[in-house]
Amino acid sequence: MLLGLDSDFPGLTADVNVSGDGLVQLGTVRPDAAELLAKLITAGLHAELDGPESEKGVSLRRRETPAA
């Protein structure tokens, strides 16, 4: 919700298992929303491993799709 992606992932839920590990269920998502999520995860992993320098050149801009 903080990233404004709630409309892309309407079935998104989060929970924890009995061990306290986080679980995320995406529900049904459009292919472009799944691609955006993959880019966000990749950018986050690069930032975690390499620091702020890794974010250069990673485009996370949302593609505008025509209304159905």
Side-chain angles (χ1 to χ4, degrees):
M1 294 179 117
L2 293 174
L3 294 173
L5 300 174
D6 48 328
S7 63
D8 291 315
F9 302 97
L12 184 68
T13 59
D15 204 349
V16 294
N17 64 16
V18 294
S19 301
D21 299 322
L23 303 172
V24 175
Q25 293 183 355
L26 297 177
T28 303
V29 296
R30 295 183 322 272
D32 60 326
E35 182 180 1
L36 174 61
L37 180 60
K39 287 180 180 181
L40 289 169
I41 291 170
T42 301
L45 289 173
H46 282 286
E48 185 176 320
L49 294 173
D50 301 330
E53 291 297 314
S54 68
E55 294 177 12
K56 292 180 180 177
V58 176
S59 175
L60 299 178
R61 282 192 312 228
R62 295 178 56 155
R63 280 185 260 159
E64 295 300 320
T65 55

